[in-house]
Short mmCIF file of all heavy atoms in Angstrom, two decimals:
data_model
loop_
_atom_site.label_atom_id
_atom_site.label_comp_id
_atom_site.label_asym_id
_atom_site.label_seq_id
_atom_site.Cartn_x
_atom_site.Cartn_y
_atom_site.Cartn_z
N ASP A 1426 -36.91 -18.94 30.74
CA ASP A 1426 -35.84 -18.03 30.34
C ASP A 1426 -34.97 -17.63 31.51
O ASP A 1426 -34.28 -16.60 31.47
CB ASP A 1426 -36.42 -16.79 29.66
CG ASP A 1426 -37.35 -15.99 30.58
OD1 ASP A 1426 -37.68 -16.50 31.68
OD2 ASP A 1426 -37.75 -14.87 30.20
N ARG A 1427 -34.97 -18.41 32.57
CA ARG A 1427 -34.18 -18.10 33.75
C ARG A 1427 -33.43 -19.33 34.24
O ARG A 1427 -33.68 -20.46 33.80
CB ARG A 1427 -35.10 -17.59 34.89
CG ARG A 1427 -35.66 -16.19 34.64
CD ARG A 1427 -34.55 -15.17 34.63
NE ARG A 1427 -35.00 -13.79 34.49
CZ ARG A 1427 -35.09 -13.15 33.33
NH1 ARG A 1427 -34.83 -13.78 32.20
NH2 ARG A 1427 -35.46 -11.88 33.30
N TYR A 1428 -32.49 -19.09 35.16
CA TYR A 1428 -31.79 -20.16 35.87
C TYR A 1428 -32.12 -20.05 37.35
O TYR A 1428 -32.59 -19.01 37.82
CB TYR A 1428 -30.28 -20.04 35.68
CG TYR A 1428 -29.80 -20.24 34.26
CD1 TYR A 1428 -29.63 -19.15 33.41
CD2 TYR A 1428 -29.51 -21.51 33.77
CE1 TYR A 1428 -29.19 -19.31 32.11
CE2 TYR A 1428 -29.06 -21.68 32.47
CZ TYR A 1428 -28.90 -20.58 31.64
OH TYR A 1428 -28.45 -20.75 30.36
N LEU A 1429 -31.83 -21.11 38.09
CA LEU A 1429 -32.03 -21.11 39.54
C LEU A 1429 -30.69 -21.27 40.23
O LEU A 1429 -30.00 -22.28 40.04
CB LEU A 1429 -32.97 -22.25 39.96
CG LEU A 1429 -33.30 -22.31 41.45
CD1 LEU A 1429 -34.11 -21.08 41.87
CD2 LEU A 1429 -34.05 -23.59 41.80
N MET A 1430 -30.31 -20.24 41.00
CA MET A 1430 -29.14 -20.34 41.86
C MET A 1430 -29.53 -21.09 43.12
O MET A 1430 -30.51 -20.74 43.78
CB MET A 1430 -28.63 -18.95 42.24
CG MET A 1430 -27.46 -18.98 43.21
SD MET A 1430 -27.52 -17.70 44.49
CE MET A 1430 -28.83 -18.29 45.56
N THR A 1431 -28.77 -22.13 43.46
CA THR A 1431 -29.04 -22.88 44.69
C THR A 1431 -27.74 -23.04 45.46
O THR A 1431 -26.74 -23.49 44.92
CB THR A 1431 -29.62 -24.27 44.38
OG1 THR A 1431 -30.79 -24.12 43.57
CG2 THR A 1431 -29.99 -25.00 45.67
N ALA A 1432 -27.78 -22.64 46.73
CA ALA A 1432 -26.65 -22.79 47.64
C ALA A 1432 -27.10 -23.71 48.77
O ALA A 1432 -27.95 -23.33 49.58
CB ALA A 1432 -26.22 -21.43 48.18
N LEU A 1433 -26.54 -24.90 48.82
CA LEU A 1433 -27.06 -25.96 49.69
C LEU A 1433 -26.23 -26.10 50.96
O LEU A 1433 -25.00 -26.18 50.91
CB LEU A 1433 -27.04 -27.30 48.94
CG LEU A 1433 -27.53 -28.51 49.72
CD1 LEU A 1433 -29.00 -28.38 50.05
CD2 LEU A 1433 -27.27 -29.80 48.92
N GLN A 1434 -26.94 -26.14 52.09
CA GLN A 1434 -26.34 -26.45 53.39
C GLN A 1434 -26.72 -27.88 53.72
O GLN A 1434 -27.90 -28.24 53.74
CB GLN A 1434 -26.88 -25.49 54.45
CG GLN A 1434 -26.27 -25.63 55.83
CD GLN A 1434 -26.67 -24.47 56.74
OE1 GLN A 1434 -26.64 -23.30 56.34
NE2 GLN A 1434 -27.08 -24.78 57.95
N ALA A 1435 -25.73 -28.73 54.02
CA ALA A 1435 -25.96 -30.17 54.09
C ALA A 1435 -26.94 -30.57 55.18
O ALA A 1435 -27.80 -31.43 54.97
CB ALA A 1435 -24.64 -30.91 54.28
N THR A 1436 -26.84 -29.99 56.37
CA THR A 1436 -27.74 -30.37 57.46
C THR A 1436 -28.23 -29.13 58.18
O THR A 1436 -27.45 -28.27 58.56
CB THR A 1436 -27.04 -31.30 58.48
OG1 THR A 1436 -25.82 -30.71 58.91
CG2 THR A 1436 -26.77 -32.66 57.88
N ALA A 1437 -29.55 -29.05 58.36
CA ALA A 1437 -30.17 -27.95 59.11
C ALA A 1437 -31.08 -28.57 60.17
O ALA A 1437 -30.69 -28.80 61.30
CB ALA A 1437 -30.94 -27.03 58.16
N GLY A 1438 -32.33 -28.90 59.78
CA GLY A 1438 -33.22 -29.55 60.71
C GLY A 1438 -32.71 -30.90 61.19
O GLY A 1438 -33.10 -31.38 62.26
N ALA A 1439 -31.82 -31.52 60.41
CA ALA A 1439 -31.23 -32.79 60.85
C ALA A 1439 -30.51 -32.65 62.18
O ALA A 1439 -30.42 -33.61 62.95
CB ALA A 1439 -30.25 -33.30 59.79
N ASN A 1440 -30.02 -31.45 62.47
CA ASN A 1440 -29.37 -31.23 63.76
C ASN A 1440 -30.37 -31.32 64.91
O ASN A 1440 -30.05 -31.83 65.99
CB ASN A 1440 -28.69 -29.85 63.77
CG ASN A 1440 -27.48 -29.80 62.86
OD1 ASN A 1440 -26.39 -30.20 63.23
ND2 ASN A 1440 -27.69 -29.32 61.64
N LEU A 1441 -31.59 -30.83 64.70
CA LEU A 1441 -32.62 -30.94 65.73
C LEU A 1441 -33.09 -32.38 65.88
O LEU A 1441 -33.36 -32.85 66.98
CB LEU A 1441 -33.79 -30.03 65.39
CG LEU A 1441 -33.50 -28.54 65.38
CD1 LEU A 1441 -34.77 -27.76 65.08
CD2 LEU A 1441 -32.90 -28.09 66.70
N THR A 1442 -33.21 -33.08 64.74
CA THR A 1442 -33.59 -34.49 64.80
C THR A 1442 -32.56 -35.28 65.59
O THR A 1442 -32.90 -36.13 66.42
CB THR A 1442 -33.73 -35.06 63.39
OG1 THR A 1442 -34.68 -34.29 62.66
CG2 THR A 1442 -34.19 -36.51 63.42
N TRP A 1443 -31.29 -35.01 65.33
CA TRP A 1443 -30.21 -35.67 66.07
C TRP A 1443 -30.31 -35.36 67.56
O TRP A 1443 -30.20 -36.25 68.41
CB TRP A 1443 -28.86 -35.20 65.53
CG TRP A 1443 -27.70 -35.57 66.41
CD1 TRP A 1443 -27.07 -36.78 66.48
CD2 TRP A 1443 -27.05 -34.71 67.36
NE1 TRP A 1443 -26.07 -36.73 67.42
CE2 TRP A 1443 -26.03 -35.48 67.97
CE3 TRP A 1443 -27.22 -33.39 67.75
CZ2 TRP A 1443 -25.19 -34.94 68.95
CZ3 TRP A 1443 -26.39 -32.86 68.71
CH2 TRP A 1443 -25.39 -33.63 69.30
N LEU A 1444 -30.54 -34.09 67.88
CA LEU A 1444 -30.63 -33.69 69.28
C LEU A 1444 -31.81 -34.40 69.96
O LEU A 1444 -31.68 -34.91 71.07
CB LEU A 1444 -30.79 -32.18 69.38
CG LEU A 1444 -30.68 -31.56 70.77
CD1 LEU A 1444 -29.26 -31.64 71.28
CD2 LEU A 1444 -31.15 -30.10 70.74
N ARG A 1445 -32.93 -34.44 69.26
CA ARG A 1445 -34.11 -35.08 69.82
C ARG A 1445 -33.92 -36.59 69.99
O ARG A 1445 -34.23 -37.16 71.04
CB ARG A 1445 -35.32 -34.82 68.90
CG ARG A 1445 -36.62 -35.43 69.37
CD ARG A 1445 -37.66 -35.36 68.26
NE ARG A 1445 -37.30 -36.23 67.14
CZ ARG A 1445 -37.92 -36.22 65.97
NH1 ARG A 1445 -38.91 -35.38 65.75
NH2 ARG A 1445 -37.55 -37.03 65.00
N ASP A 1446 -33.42 -37.24 68.95
CA ASP A 1446 -33.38 -38.70 68.94
C ASP A 1446 -32.18 -39.29 69.66
O ASP A 1446 -32.25 -40.40 70.18
CB ASP A 1446 -33.38 -39.21 67.50
CG ASP A 1446 -34.68 -38.90 66.77
OD1 ASP A 1446 -35.65 -38.48 67.44
OD2 ASP A 1446 -34.73 -39.08 65.54
N LYS A 1447 -31.07 -38.54 69.70
CA LYS A 1447 -29.84 -39.11 70.24
C LYS A 1447 -29.45 -38.52 71.60
O LYS A 1447 -28.65 -39.11 72.32
CB LYS A 1447 -28.68 -38.88 69.26
CG LYS A 1447 -28.90 -39.46 67.88
CD LYS A 1447 -28.96 -40.98 67.91
CE LYS A 1447 -29.23 -41.54 66.52
NZ LYS A 1447 -28.14 -41.33 65.58
N ILE A 1448 -30.01 -37.36 71.96
CA ILE A 1448 -29.62 -36.71 73.22
C ILE A 1448 -30.78 -36.66 74.20
O ILE A 1448 -30.66 -37.01 75.36
CB ILE A 1448 -29.10 -35.28 72.95
CG1 ILE A 1448 -27.94 -35.31 71.94
CG2 ILE A 1448 -28.68 -34.61 74.25
CD1 ILE A 1448 -26.75 -36.15 72.39
N VAL A 1449 -31.95 -36.19 73.74
CA VAL A 1449 -33.11 -36.12 74.62
C VAL A 1449 -33.65 -37.53 74.82
O VAL A 1449 -33.91 -38.25 73.87
CB VAL A 1449 -34.20 -35.22 74.00
CG1 VAL A 1449 -35.45 -35.21 74.88
CG2 VAL A 1449 -33.67 -33.81 73.82
N GLU A 1450 -33.82 -37.95 76.07
CA GLU A 1450 -34.29 -39.30 76.36
C GLU A 1450 -35.79 -39.41 76.04
O GLU A 1450 -36.54 -38.45 76.13
CB GLU A 1450 -34.05 -39.65 77.84
CG GLU A 1450 -32.58 -39.65 78.24
CD GLU A 1450 -31.80 -40.76 77.57
OE1 GLU A 1450 -32.41 -41.76 77.17
OE2 GLU A 1450 -30.56 -40.61 77.43
N TYR A 1451 -36.22 -40.63 75.71
CA TYR A 1451 -37.60 -40.81 75.31
C TYR A 1451 -38.59 -40.68 76.47
O TYR A 1451 -39.78 -40.51 76.25
CB TYR A 1451 -37.78 -42.17 74.61
CG TYR A 1451 -37.17 -42.17 73.25
CD1 TYR A 1451 -36.05 -42.93 72.96
CD2 TYR A 1451 -37.72 -41.36 72.24
CE1 TYR A 1451 -35.48 -42.91 71.69
CE2 TYR A 1451 -37.16 -41.33 70.98
CZ TYR A 1451 -36.05 -42.11 70.70
OH TYR A 1451 -35.48 -42.08 69.45
#
């Protein structure tokens, strides 16, 4: 008997993955 409000942000943790994989050297 309810609805779900969802407000989506496209990238969150993906920014950390990008920083780790593309900026921080292995």
Side-chain angles (χ1 to χ4, degrees):
D1426 61 351
R1427 288 295 184 266
Y1428 295 93
L1429 182 66
M1430 176 220 73
T1431 305
L1433 179 66
Q1434 185 169 315
T1436 52
N1440 290 277
L1441 296 182
T1442 304
W1443 167 81
L1444 189 70
R1445 180 191 68 190
D1446 294 349
K1447 303 294 178 67
I1448 304 301
V1449 177
E1450 298 293 337
Y1451 287 112

